[in-house]
């Protein structure tokens, strides 16, 4: 074996375990001129071909679209209402050097201590006059990863092993404290008068193809709906459902203004946030940070990740019916602009990063743009840009958008735009 070959194999062995999941396959298209042409379905044209012109006709069309996303893509969220119960697991009134009160709540998802549960970490500004608006978002590495404050309990659900020792035998370790802190600039957010709430996404559905057995879907039993059907919900549906249970928990806190809960998600959790915001109209504002394929990005565009690729790498995310579209996105009765339109007329923010080509920044912008006619029909200013804006030129109309310099991540720049957008649309705290 040649020395070059040996070096190559050694290199591959060294980097493979640290690669998140199969990404950037060599055959993905990154050439705009090769995207091809496509026609987007019109969100305002109902199933029978008629175009709606009046605001009053939107709710019926909205239900039609929601049904399509549930039956063909994300799977059906069960209609059975579960009633949560809350247990306070910890409280610290001088968190973040006295800026905030930190609480951990155990959310009993069926109201029952033996049933499925998730842990919600909540920071509230100590300087507040009355109930505060709150950013709610799931995290990837456990609640203990959003801050290095030692009082936060380590996540106890399954977690992907890593090479740094933050996760050993699929369980979080002390080393993971603060691991995701750059994505959660708590002090900045708190100083602006907002609360922050977060939940570890693995509490709802362990993110791997065999995760269902330990997921909330399995643990809800009959209440989870029909099992094995083509429209059975998967991981994205479960994460979205968990976001709504997070809302239920926040709505019971007297310090929280339940009319101003802002749902935010990054990447796969940005997809889940859009789906949660589409289904649950209690969220006042929804932010999809670099949500890409299956999120804000137009699926008909062959650029970066594709339906086939996402269904292959993550067979547990969507419902089985979605696999029918692996090689024929044009057969979908909708595209992702219609998911965004389900949030209308509530403010929504789509964000991209210039180097995050896998998520297709232009496709994300076009997803936002495609929702504009619905936002306008409902009397808002829609998206104030017809062409994709340049780097760091945020659009702050009811559909907000920005393209940030840099890679796939959540940065302080992103948060600064979200806080300004929330101040503008929901009022300063
Ligand atoms: C990638 C996946 C994307 C996105 C991303 C993430 O591997 O292909 O759709 O969800 O992960 O969540 O970071």
């Amino acid at each position: 074996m040649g020395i070059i070959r040996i070096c190559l194999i050694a290199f591959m062995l060294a980097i493979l375990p640290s690669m998140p999941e199969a990404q950037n396959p060599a055959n993905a298209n990154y050439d705009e001129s090769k995207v091809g042409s496509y026609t987007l379905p019109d969100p305002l044209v109902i199933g029978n071909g008629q175009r709606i012109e009046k605001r009053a006709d939107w709710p019926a069309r909205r239900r039609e679209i929601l049904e399509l996303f549930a039956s063909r893509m994300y799977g059906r969220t069960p209609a059975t209402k579960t009633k949560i119960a809350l247990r306070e697991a910890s409280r610290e009134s001088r968190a973040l050097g006295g800026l905030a009160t930190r609480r951990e709540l155990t959310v009993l998802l069926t109201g029952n201590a033996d049933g499925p549960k998730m842990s919600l970490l909540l920071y509230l500004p100590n300087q507040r006059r009355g109930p505060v608006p709150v950013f709610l978002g799931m995290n990837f590495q456990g609640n203990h990863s959003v801050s290095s404050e030692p009082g936060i309990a380590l996540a106890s659900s399954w977690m992907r092993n890593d090479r740094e020792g933050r996760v050993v035998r699929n369980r979080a370790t002390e080393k993971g404290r603060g691991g995701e802190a750059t994505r959660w600039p708590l002090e900045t957010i708190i100083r602006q008068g907002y609360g922050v709430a977060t939940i570890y996404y693995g509490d709802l559905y362990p993110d791997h193809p065999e995760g269902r057995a330990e997921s909330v879907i399995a643990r809800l039993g009959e209440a989870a709906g029909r099992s094995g059907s083509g429209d059975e919900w998967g991981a994205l549906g479960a994460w979205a459902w968990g976001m709504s249970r997070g809302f239920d928990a926040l709505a019971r806190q007297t310090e929280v203004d339940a009319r101003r809960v802002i749902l935010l998600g990054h990447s796969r959790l940005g997809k889940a946030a859009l789906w949660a915001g589409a289904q649950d109209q209690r969220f006042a504002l929804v932010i999809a940070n670099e949500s890409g394929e299956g999120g804000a990005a137009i699926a008909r565009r062959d650029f970066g990740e594709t339906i086939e690729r996402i269904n292959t790498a993550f067979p547990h995310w969507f419902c089985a019916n979605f696999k029918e579209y692996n090689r024929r996105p044009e057969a979908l009765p909708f595209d992702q602009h219609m998911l965004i339109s389900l949030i209308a007329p509530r403010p929504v923010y789509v964000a991209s990063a210039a180097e995050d080509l896998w998520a297709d920044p232009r496709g994300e912008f076009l997803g936002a743009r495609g929702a504009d006619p619905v936002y306008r029909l409902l009397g808002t200013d829609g998206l104030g840009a017809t062409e994709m804006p340049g780097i760091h030129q945020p659009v702050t109309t009811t559909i907000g958008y920005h393209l940030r310099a840099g890679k796939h991540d959540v940065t302080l720049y992103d948060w600064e735009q979200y806080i300004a957008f929330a101040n503008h649309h929901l009022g300063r705290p």
Side-chain angles (χ1 to χ4, degrees):
M1 210 181 317
I3 186 78
I4 296 185
R5 213 163 183 194
I6 293 172
C7 288
L8 197 70
I9 291 171
F11 174 72
M12 289 306 286
L13 287 176
I15 66 159
L16 267 180
S18 63
M19 278 166 62
E21 284 103 9
Q23 245 204 34
N24 299 315
N27 59 358
N29 176 44
Y30 291 115
D31 180 347
E32 193 59 41
S33 72
K34 294 202 179 116
V35 166
S37 61
Y38 57 86
T39 314
L40 283 185
D42 186 334
L44 294 176
V45 172
I46 45 180
N48 65 10
Q50 247 186 320
R51 190 166 206 280
I52 63 171
E53 312 274 351
K54 293 197 302 282
R55 240 189 249 201
D57 293 330
W58 172 247
R61 172 62 177 147
R62 187 179 181 281
R63 279 193 296 278
E64 204 176 76
I65 300 174
L66 203 49
E67 166 60 23
L68 290 172
F69 276 105
S71 59
R72 312 307 308 166
M73 188 170 180
Y74 299 103
R76 230 173 258 292
T77 309
T80 328
K81 293 268 174 286
T82 50
K83 208 165 180 297
I84 60 155
L86 296 176
R87 302 279 178 272
E88 189 172 88
S90 77
R91 175 192 287 259
E92 167 57 64
S93 57
R94 312 270 325 144
L96 303 176
L99 266 186
T101 294
R102 186 186 74 228
R103 297 227 296 270
E104 288 174 286
L105 300 170
T106 303
V107 184
L108 307 177
L109 293 163
T110 52
N112 177 340
D114 305 322
K117 30 174 117 45
M118 66 182 191
S119 178
L120 182 135
L121 171 66
L122 175 62
Y123 278 92
L124 293 163
N126 281 338
Q127 254 192 39
R128 54 172 194 269
R129 301 169 307 241
V132 292
V134 172
F135 283 96
L136 168 67
M138 284 190 172
N139 63 72
F140 288 88
Q141 295 173 27
N143 293 348
H144 62 283
S145 73
V146 309
S147 160
S148 46
E149 291 202 308
I152 305 170
L154 292 183
S156 57
S157 317
W158 183 94
M159 208 172 278
R160 185 176 312 285
N161 284 336
D162 72 350
R163 287 152 48 88
E164 289 87 36
R166 293 169 173 180
V167 186
V168 174
R169 283 188 293 281
N170 299 115
R171 295 292 171 238
T173 72
E174 288 290 329
K175 280 197 183 158
R177 291 197 180 280
E180 227 185 314
T182 58
R183 289 183 172 180
W184 298 89
L186 298 175
E187 297 190 5
T188 305
I189 308 167
I190 296 285
R191 280 186 206 280
Q192 296 290 326
Y194 289 87
V196 184
T198 189
I199 301 157
Y200 171 50
Y201 82 139
D203 281 1
L204 281 303
Y205 199 116
D207 194 3
H208 61 89
E210 276 76 50
R212 190 185 181 284
E214 274 183 67
S215 75
V216 71
I217 298 182
R219 303 208 56 209
L220 281 175
E222 276 175 24
R226 284 175 304 148
S227 153
S229 56
D231 61 0
E232 188 191 357
W233 54 332
L236 283 167
W239 299 327
W241 183 87
M243 292 173 184
S244 284
R245 302 293 74 76
F247 185 101
D248 296 345
L250 290 176
R252 292 196 195 174
Q253 311 306 311
T254 48
E255 306 93 330
V256 171
D257 180 354
R259 287 161 313 162
R260 289 190 290 169
V261 174
I262 302 154
L263 181 62
L264 153 138
H266 169 58
S267 207
R268 65 198 69 184
L269 295 175
K271 310 180 208 296
L274 287 173
W275 179 228
Q279 297 175 90
D280 190 338
Q281 298 189 288
R282 298 174 302 172
F283 291 111
L285 193 164
V286 181
I287 301 165
N289 191 81
E290 298 153 29
S291 57
E293 186 74 29
I298 295 294
R300 279 169 175 74
R301 275 173 55 85
D302 177 14
F303 192 100
E305 191 168 26
T306 61
I307 297 182
E308 182 171 32
R309 196 59 230 170
I310 207 168
N311 276 333
T312 309
F314 310 102
H316 55 295
W317 282 5
F318 300 91
C319 74
N321 288 343
F322 191 49
K323 300 194 168 67
E324 289 172 22
Y325 303 95
N326 274 355
R327 293 194 178 185
R328 38 182 216 122
E330 68 289 349
L332 277 170
F334 50 75
D335 210 312
Q336 297 308 105
H337 62 308
M338 287 162 68
L339 179 67
I340 299 169
S341 78
L342 296 176
I343 295 165
R346 292 165 292 154
V348 65
Y349 201 114
V350 173
S352 312
E355 290 174 39
D356 183 21
L357 296 181
W358 183 242
D360 186 11
R362 181 171 297 276
E364 292 172 326
F365 171 75
L366 292 172
R369 193 176 84 178
D372 173 85
V374 176
Y375 272 82
R376 289 195 193 257
L377 178 75
L378 300 185
T380 79
D381 54 0
L383 177 74
T386 48
E387 293 306 319
M388 188 167 173
I391 289 179
H392 298 174
Q393 291 171 24
V395 179
T396 60
T397 40
T398 309
I399 304 177
Y401 177 84
H402 73 239
L403 174 68
R404 162 175 67 68
K407 294 194 187 0
H408 190 63
D409 199 359
V410 191
T411 68
L412 187 58
Y413 176 86
D414 297 317
W415 273 103
E416 283 166 354
Q417 311 319 309
Y418 303 150
I419 292 168
F421 188 75
N423 283 342
H424 178 63
H425 289 281
L426 305 181
R428 271 184 190 279

